Amino acid sequence: MAGRRFHTGTRVVTWLEPGGFNAYVTQTPLYGRRPSPGGRRDRDPTLAELQRHVDQFVLHYDGGGLSRICFEVLQKRGLSVHFLLDVDGTIYQTLDLQERAWHAGMANDRSIGVEIANIGAYAPREAGILDKWYQRGPAGQTRLVPPRTAGVAPVRTPGFQGRPQRPERIRGRINARELVQYDFTPQQYAALIKLTAALHQVFPGIALDYPRDQRGRLVAGKLTDAQLAGFRGVLGHFHIDANKYDPGPAFQWDPVIARARRESPSAHTPDQP
């Protein structure tokens, strides 16, 4: 980032490596330089400037099920994101973190974004697509089975067999909509915890906490503009846009934040909306 490398404690495949995803090669304007002080755009921001400016980490599910599919969709739609997190736990970095990625609307300037591979959350009557990606075995185990259109080697890890962290469909309400979703894989959670802790170390403004209500519970819907402006930490796309639901009702906020704090001794919490 900005000419420096930072260790995450987990594998990150950059856009410069074989098998990586390079958002710089397209002719579509998928990224833009973050604003420098005074709104200048004639130079790259320094690391210190970025550390003063970046204070949100936005979590998405990709809706495509696999990082390769997600990247292709982003390219076609003229969108971008800093990280892709595949079902086998491989993290792909597509852009330098000094760039503004186009992933979260009004939060783009101040945020880092990650697309976590997961086919997504659906209203119960629309959840048939989950059966195309997940199979339940006789012993009650649930397997992630990408469709044939995903190819014979859909992920980087040879022979990988994905399983959601919890075998059952998870039901919950996001932005006042009832949804069902399968959980993310243990490999994804392990990698995301490492990435979250590392981002907090690089950008101390990204506090290791999520939007909570007055009782300390997850805010399960869009923040007001004032709340979003004042929030510093980890949040979902649904906190930014009332028409979004990612990372969905299956995402386990408390374990991720608690373990990221243990990974990062300097963890602190923001003032909550």
Side-chain angles (χ1 to χ4, degrees):
M1 180 188 71
R4 295 180 58 182
R5 288 180 177 268
F6 295 89
H7 294 291
T8 62
T10 191
R11 180 74 168 102
V12 177
V13 180
T14 75
W15 67 93
L16 299 173
E17 298 179 57
F21 298 112
N22 188 348
Y24 289 100
V25 300
T26 180
Q27 298 301 310
T28 308
L30 299 185
Y31 65 92
R33 185 179 297 162
R34 293 187 192 272
S36 296
R40 292 176 58 188
R41 306 296 176 93
D42 59 345
R43 65 175 175 84
D44 290 337
T46 66
L47 176 58
E49 288 167 353
L50 289 169
Q51 288 172 326
R52 289 192 294 269
H53 187 66
V54 175
D55 58 8
Q56 292 181 346
F57 182 31
V58 182
L59 310 182
H60 307 260
Y61 58 60
D62 66 13
L66 297 167
S67 289
R68 175 162 48 81
I69 295 173
C70 174
F71 185 72
E72 291 171 357
V73 171
L74 291 175
Q75 294 274 295
K76 291 176 182 177
R77 295 180 60 191
L79 300 174
S80 55
V81 73
H82 299 96
F83 295 103
L84 307 172
L85 174 50
D86 217 344
V87 293
D88 64 346
T90 301
I91 298 173
Y92 298 91
Q93 184 175 351
T94 75
L95 295 167
D96 193 300
L97 301 189
Q98 74 179 7
E99 310 287 4
R100 177 203 293 112
W102 302 103
H103 67 105
M106 63 188 297
N108 287 338
D109 277 357
R110 60 189 289 203
S111 69
I112 304 296
V114 60
E115 293 276 4
I116 311 171
N118 184 284
I119 197 61
Y122 298 87
R125 65 181 181 278
E126 301 168 350
I129 189 173
L130 298 178
D131 295 329
K132 298 179 180 179
W133 280 80
Y134 296 90
Q135 295 179 1
R136 197 72 178 267
Q141 293 182 322
T142 301
R143 298 187 305 147
L144 172 63
V145 184
R148 292 183 179 180
T149 53
V152 296
V155 298
R156 193 176 183 90
T157 303
F160 176 76
Q161 175 60 72
R163 300 183 187 277
Q165 177 80 27
R166 293 169 288 179
E168 70 277 9
R169 292 183 180 185
I170 307 302
R171 194 177 186 118
R173 293 182 68 82
I174 303 289
N175 273 324
R177 189 181 187 196
E178 190 75 18
L179 299 165
V180 292
Q181 178 190 18
Y182 277 109
D183 205 351
F184 301 88
T185 69
Q187 293 82 3
Q188 287 177 309
Y189 279 122
L192 180 63
I193 288 162
K194 296 282 189 182
L195 178 61
T196 303
L199 288 175
H200 168 72
Q201 293 295 98
V202 176
F203 300 105
I206 300 178
L208 295 180
D209 207 356
Y210 55 79
R212 300 175 186 266
D213 63 20
Q214 293 182 343
R215 297 184 180 182
R217 301 173 301 189
L218 172 72
V219 175
K222 183 185 180 301
L223 303 179
T224 66
D225 289 349
Q227 289 172 333
L228 183 61
F231 180 77
R232 302 165 69 240
V234 184
L235 69 166
H237 198 183
F238 69 77
H239 289 121
I240 300 167
D241 188 332
N243 295 315
K244 298 295 184 180
Y245 308 102
D246 41 325
F251 186 77
Q252 299 185 53
W253 292 90
D254 285 325
V256 168
I257 294 301
R259 289 179 58 188
R261 287 176 179 172
R262 289 197 292 271
E263 294 273 347
S264 179
S266 63
H268 61 282
T269 58
D271 296 331
Q272 297 302 331

